[in-house]
Every structure is written in structure tokens, then in C-alpha cells.
Amino acid sequence: MTRPLAVLRPEPGNAATCARAAAAGFETLSLPLFAVEALDWDVPDAAQHDALILTSANTLRFGGAGLAALTGLPVLAVGPHTAAAARAAGFDVIAIGSGDGAQIAAVAHEQGIRRALHLTGRDRTLAAGGAIADVVPVYQSVAAPIAPAALANLAGTIALLHSGRAARRLEALAAAVGLDRSRIAVAAFSPAIASTLGAGWAGVAAAAAPDDAALFAAARSLSTATGD
């Protein structure tokens, strides 16, 4: 029997992952650790840039009307879900990364891009340099209040971590309430996210690619390893 999956990402991604997990045969527990809010931002001059780098579909969900002025820029996206959201918003996706932001930035550089605009969240992992000329936050994630009783429900689950910030918050919450990590396994969206976790979890696995299907495969490997 496969452990239930605890989906910790904010809405609306939380509901989307829960739906995909249910379709894949998993039971789910929804426990968003953050809520996403749109930021006010000034739209850069598209003529000053040669591409757009996107590392999260939240940029498309929360970027607002300003995105329309940038649809002439080709997009390099991390993961198929971000790419699909970009296409739905009218962008031409020229590359889909199978790793993290650093990997797609390297792809951009290899393709001769030198003035990319990176639209992202306030808690970003990429900075200007190399292929990236400017970084503009268009959304932010704020910590959601989590009751100790809700955290206790993580026992016996596989917690899904879609970001390094979620990993750090799970670590902090576990320490604050004395959560028994040995009863919780963790599947991370990337090896970089997995590497931020401390010791003591029932098991840790990283997705082979930045999408939910790969994350669910990592979760299944954990169920096998833990004897579920």
C-alpha cells in the first residue's frame, strides 16, 4: 500500500497536484505552507531583452495584465507545467528545462541569449548575470498559519516539496513542534531541494525531472523503500 501524499505547495498549484495525484492512484492530504500573492511591478521594455526565462507557472498565474506586453519574447521554461502555462498565455516556448533555474539559464546561454528577462517570485534563486540581464519579481509567497494538529497529520505520509523554501519551512515547523520526522518521508521536486533537508526523515527521494509525474515516481520509490 502506498503512503498518502501530503501536498504542501500553495494554491492554485496545490489543487492541481492533488488532482494529478488522485488520477495516479494516490490518497492526498492538502496542507499548503504558503499563500501566493501578486506584486505590483513595472513592465520592462521588451525591446531591451531577447528572451524570457520562467521557472514557475505562478509567474503566469499572478503576473497580471503586464505579461501581454512581453508575449513577443521567446520563453525558456523550467518544466512542462510552466511551459504549458506560458503557451496558454500566448508565449512561444523555445526550450523546456529538465532541471532547475540554473540549468535553464545555462541552456539560454548556450543558445546565444544574453539579455534575458527573468520574471519570478520574490524568494528567487536566480540573479542577474550571464544570460540574464534583469530579474523582476511579480509575486510573493507568504507563510500560511499551520496548527500543530494539522502538522501531526503528516505522520505516515510522503510530504511533497516543490520548492527549497517549502523544504526550509517544513524543517522549521518540524523543529518548532517536535514533529517525529521518522514517520514522514519526503519527495522533492529536484535534487537541489532534497539537499536542503536535514537528517531524520523516514526517507528522502528527488524527482528525476521538474514535473509532478516524476515527483510521484519518486514517492512510489519511497513507499517501496519504507515497506509500505
Side-chain angles (χ1 to χ4, degrees), residues 106-123:
V107 170
H109 191 272
E110 290 168 1
Q111 294 192 5
I113 291 168
R114 296 295 182 268
R115 295 178 290 111
L117 170 63
H118 178 36
L119 298 184
T120 183
R122 177 162 281 166
D123 185 55

PDB file of all heavy atoms in Angstrom, residues 106-123:
ATOM      1  N   ALA A 106      21.613  28.117 -18.095  1.00  0.00           N
ATOM      2  CA  ALA A 106      22.739  27.600 -18.872  1.00  0.00           C
ATOM      3  C   ALA A 106      22.304  27.283 -20.303  1.00  0.00           C
ATOM      4  O   ALA A 106      23.046  27.541 -21.264  1.00  0.00           O
ATOM      5  CB  ALA A 106      23.310  26.358 -18.203  1.00  0.00           C
ATOM      6  N   VAL A 107      21.098  26.740 -20.463  1.00  0.00           N
ATOM      7  CA  VAL A 107      20.567  26.470 -21.801  1.00  0.00           C
ATOM      8  C   VAL A 107      20.428  27.775 -22.582  1.00  0.00           C
ATOM      9  O   VAL A 107      20.779  27.848 -23.764  1.00  0.00           O
ATOM     10  CB  VAL A 107      19.200  25.752 -21.708  1.00  0.00           C
ATOM     11  CG1 VAL A 107      18.524  25.690 -23.082  1.00  0.00           C
ATOM     12  CG2 VAL A 107      19.382  24.348 -21.147  1.00  0.00           C
ATOM     13  N   ALA A 108      19.930  28.805 -21.914  1.00  0.00           N
ATOM     14  CA  ALA A 108      19.789  30.108 -22.567  1.00  0.00           C
ATOM     15  C   ALA A 108      21.143  30.617 -23.060  1.00  0.00           C
ATOM     16  O   ALA A 108      21.263  31.103 -24.200  1.00  0.00           O
ATOM     17  CB  ALA A 108      19.163  31.105 -21.599  1.00  0.00           C
ATOM     18  N   HIS A 109      22.145  30.498 -22.221  1.00  0.00           N
ATOM     19  CA  HIS A 109      23.493  30.965 -22.603  1.00  0.00           C
ATOM     20  C   HIS A 109      24.014  30.172 -23.791  1.00  0.00           C
ATOM     21  O   HIS A 109      24.598  30.748 -24.723  1.00  0.00           O
ATOM     22  CB  HIS A 109      24.440  30.829 -21.418  1.00  0.00           C
ATOM     23  CG  HIS A 109      25.758  31.508 -21.615  1.00  0.00           C
ATOM     24  ND1 HIS A 109      26.839  30.884 -22.212  1.00  0.00           N
ATOM     25  CD2 HIS A 109      26.172  32.777 -21.321  1.00  0.00           C
ATOM     26  CE1 HIS A 109      27.852  31.721 -22.264  1.00  0.00           C
ATOM     27  NE2 HIS A 109      27.482  32.877 -21.731  1.00  0.00           N
ATOM     28  N   GLU A 110      23.780  28.862 -23.802  1.00  0.00           N
ATOM     29  CA  GLU A 110      24.239  28.010 -24.907  1.00  0.00           C
ATOM     30  C   GLU A 110      23.552  28.396 -26.216  1.00  0.00           C
ATOM     31  O   GLU A 110      24.130  28.237 -27.298  1.00  0.00           O
ATOM     32  CB  GLU A 110      23.947  26.543 -24.581  1.00  0.00           C
ATOM     33  CG  GLU A 110      24.818  25.972 -23.467  1.00  0.00           C
ATOM     34  CD  GLU A 110      24.314  24.630 -22.982  1.00  0.00           C
ATOM     35  OE1 GLU A 110      23.300  24.130 -23.531  1.00  0.00           O
ATOM     36  OE2 GLU A 110      24.913  24.076 -22.035  1.00  0.00           O
ATOM     37  N   GLN A 111      22.329  28.919 -26.118  1.00  0.00           N
ATOM     38  CA  GLN A 111      21.588  29.308 -27.321  1.00  0.00           C
ATOM     39  C   GLN A 111      21.883  30.739 -27.759  1.00  0.00           C
ATOM     40  O   GLN A 111      21.247  31.267 -28.666  1.00  0.00           O
ATOM     41  CB  GLN A 111      20.086  29.126 -27.082  1.00  0.00           C
ATOM     42  CG  GLN A 111      19.670  27.683 -26.902  1.00  0.00           C
ATOM     43  CD  GLN A 111      18.166  27.476 -26.959  1.00  0.00           C
ATOM     44  OE1 GLN A 111      17.410  28.399 -27.227  1.00  0.00           O
ATOM     45  NE2 GLN A 111      17.724  26.249 -26.724  1.00  0.00           N
ATOM     46  N   GLY A 112      22.850  31.376 -27.120  1.00  0.00           N
ATOM     47  CA  GLY A 112      23.267  32.703 -27.531  1.00  0.00           C
ATOM     48  C   GLY A 112      22.456  33.837 -26.941  1.00  0.00           C
ATOM     49  O   GLY A 112      22.585  34.991 -27.365  1.00  0.00           O
ATOM     50  N   ILE A 113      21.628  33.538 -25.960  1.00  0.00           N
ATOM     51  CA  ILE A 113      20.816  34.578 -25.318  1.00  0.00           C
ATOM     52  C   ILE A 113      21.688  35.323 -24.308  1.00  0.00           C
ATOM     53  O   ILE A 113      22.383  34.707 -23.499  1.00  0.00           O
ATOM     54  CB  ILE A 113      19.583  33.947 -24.651  1.00  0.00           C
ATOM     55  CG1 ILE A 113      18.631  33.434 -25.744  1.00  0.00           C
ATOM     56  CG2 ILE A 113      18.870  34.926 -23.730  1.00  0.00           C
ATOM     57  CD1 ILE A 113      17.531  32.542 -25.238  1.00  0.00           C
ATOM     58  N   ARG A 114      21.632  36.644 -24.344  1.00  0.00           N
ATOM     59  CA  ARG A 114      22.485  37.452 -23.475  1.00  0.00           C
ATOM     60  C   ARG A 114      21.722  38.537 -22.716  1.00  0.00           C
ATOM     61  O   ARG A 114      22.275  39.170 -21.819  1.00  0.00           O
ATOM     62  CB  ARG A 114      23.586  38.130 -24.311  1.00  0.00           C
ATOM     63  CG  ARG A 114      24.553  37.148 -24.974  1.00  0.00           C
ATOM     64  CD  ARG A 114      25.361  36.373 -23.943  1.00  0.00           C
ATOM     65  NE  ARG A 114      26.320  35.469 -24.567  1.00  0.00           N
ATOM     66  CZ  ARG A 114      26.060  34.197 -24.857  1.00  0.00           C
ATOM     67  NH1 ARG A 114      24.866  33.674 -24.575  1.00  0.00           N
ATOM     68  NH2 ARG A 114      26.974  33.431 -25.430  1.00  0.00           N
ATOM     69  N   ARG A 115      20.454  38.768 -23.063  1.00  0.00           N
ATOM     70  CA  ARG A 115      19.695  39.840 -22.414  1.00  0.00           C
ATOM     71  C   ARG A 115      18.329  39.338 -21.958  1.00  0.00           C
ATOM     72  O   ARG A 115      17.309  39.983 -22.157  1.00  0.00           O
ATOM     73  CB  ARG A 115      19.538  41.018 -23.380  1.00  0.00           C
ATOM     74  CG  ARG A 115      20.849  41.708 -23.745  1.00  0.00           C
ATOM     75  CD  ARG A 115      20.662  42.847 -24.734  1.00  0.00           C
ATOM     76  NE  ARG A 115      20.301  42.360 -26.063  1.00  0.00           N
ATOM     77  CZ  ARG A 115      19.118  42.531 -26.633  1.00  0.00           C
ATOM     78  NH1 ARG A 115      18.149  43.173 -26.002  1.00  0.00           N
ATOM     79  NH2 ARG A 115      18.884  42.066 -27.842  1.00  0.00           N
ATOM     80  N   ALA A 116      18.308  38.169 -21.349  1.00  0.00           N
ATOM     81  CA  ALA A 116      17.038  37.573 -20.926  1.00  0.00           C
ATOM     82  C   ALA A 116      16.441  38.337 -19.748  1.00  0.00           C
ATOM     83  O   ALA A 116      17.155  38.871 -18.890  1.00  0.00           O
ATOM     84  CB  ALA A 116      17.239  36.114 -20.539  1.00  0.00           C
ATOM     85  N   LEU A 117      15.136  38.359 -19.730  1.00  0.00           N
ATOM     86  CA  LEU A 117      14.377  38.895 -18.599  1.00  0.00           C
ATOM     87  C   LEU A 117      13.841  37.710 -17.806  1.00  0.00           C
ATOM     88  O   LEU A 117      13.223  36.807 -18.369  1.00  0.00           O
ATOM     89  CB  LEU A 117      13.214  39.752 -19.103  1.00  0.00           C
ATOM     90  CG  LEU A 117      12.177  40.205 -18.070  1.00  0.00           C
ATOM     91  CD1 LEU A 117      12.805  41.109 -17.024  1.00  0.00           C
ATOM     92  CD2 LEU A 117      11.010  40.890 -18.776  1.00  0.00           C
ATOM     93  N   HIS A 118      14.099  37.696 -16.516  1.00  0.00           N
ATOM     94  CA  HIS A 118      13.605  36.616 -15.657  1.00  0.00           C
ATOM     95  C   HIS A 118      12.496  37.161 -14.765  1.00  0.00           C
ATOM     96  O   HIS A 118      12.734  37.976 -13.878  1.00  0.00           O
ATOM     97  CB  HIS A 118      14.749  36.061 -14.811  1.00  0.00           C
ATOM     98  CG  HIS A 118      14.347  34.982 -13.852  1.00  0.00           C
ATOM     99  ND1 HIS A 118      13.389  34.033 -14.147  1.00  0.00           N
ATOM    100  CD2 HIS A 118      14.770  34.704 -12.580  1.00  0.00           C
ATOM    101  CE1 HIS A 118      13.251  33.217 -13.124  1.00  0.00           C
ATOM    102  NE2 HIS A 118      14.071  33.611 -12.160  1.00  0.00           N
ATOM    103  N   LEU A 119      11.248  36.744 -15.033  1.00  0.00           N
ATOM    104  CA  LEU A 119      10.120  37.078 -14.172  1.00  0.00           C
ATOM    105  C   LEU A 119       9.948  35.947 -13.174  1.00  0.00           C
ATOM    106  O   LEU A 119       9.921  34.769 -13.546  1.00  0.00           O
ATOM    107  CB  LEU A 119       8.837  37.254 -14.989  1.00  0.00           C
ATOM    108  CG  LEU A 119       8.829  38.375 -16.028  1.00  0.00           C
ATOM    109  CD1 LEU A 119       7.444  38.476 -16.682  1.00  0.00           C
ATOM    110  CD2 LEU A 119       9.243  39.702 -15.433  1.00  0.00           C
ATOM    111  N   THR A 120       9.808  36.287 -11.896  1.00  0.00           N
ATOM    112  CA  THR A 120       9.913  35.263 -10.870  1.00  0.00           C
ATOM    113  C   THR A 120       9.192  35.683  -9.594  1.00  0.00           C
ATOM    114  O   THR A 120       8.485  36.689  -9.570  1.00  0.00           O
ATOM    115  CB  THR A 120      11.420  34.998 -10.589  1.00  0.00           C
ATOM    116  OG1 THR A 120      11.558  33.958  -9.637  1.00  0.00           O
ATOM    117  CG2 THR A 120      12.103  36.260 -10.071  1.00  0.00           C
ATOM    118  N   GLY A 121       9.364  34.912  -8.532  1.00  0.00           N
ATOM    119  CA  GLY A 121       8.847  35.260  -7.217  1.00  0.00           C
ATOM    120  C   GLY A 121       9.874  36.062  -6.437  1.00  0.00           C
ATOM    121  O   GLY A 121      11.055  36.110  -6.797  1.00  0.00           O
ATOM    122  N   ARG A 122       9.417  36.699  -5.384  1.00  0.00           N
ATOM    123  CA  ARG A 122      10.334  37.495  -4.554  1.00  0.00           C
ATOM    124  C   ARG A 122      11.422  36.620  -3.941  1.00  0.00           C
ATOM    125  O   ARG A 122      12.566  37.031  -3.811  1.00  0.00           O
ATOM    126  CB  ARG A 122       9.531  38.219  -3.466  1.00  0.00           C
ATOM    127  CG  ARG A 122      10.366  39.029  -2.499  1.00  0.00           C
ATOM    128  CD  ARG A 122       9.509  40.035  -1.751  1.00  0.00           C
ATOM    129  NE  ARG A 122       9.222  41.213  -2.573  1.00  0.00           N
ATOM    130  CZ  ARG A 122       8.290  42.119  -2.268  1.00  0.00           C
ATOM    131  NH1 ARG A 122       7.526  41.957  -1.205  1.00  0.00           N
ATOM    132  NH2 ARG A 122       8.120  43.160  -3.045  1.00  0.00           N
ATOM    133  N   ASP A 123      11.087  35.400  -3.566  1.00  0.00           N
ATOM    134  CA  ASP A 123      12.066  34.464  -3.000  1.00  0.00           C
ATOM    135  C   ASP A 123      12.695  33.686  -4.147  1.00  0.00           C
ATOM    136  O   ASP A 123      12.423  32.519  -4.369  1.00  0.00           O
ATOM    137  CB  ASP A 123      11.374  33.527  -2.007  1.00  0.00           C
ATOM    138  CG  ASP A 123      12.352  32.618  -1.295  1.00  0.00           C
ATOM    139  OD1 ASP A 123      13.303  33.130  -0.699  1.00  0.00           O
ATOM    140  OD2 ASP A 123      12.147  31.384  -1.352  1.00  0.00           O
TER     141      ASP A 123
END
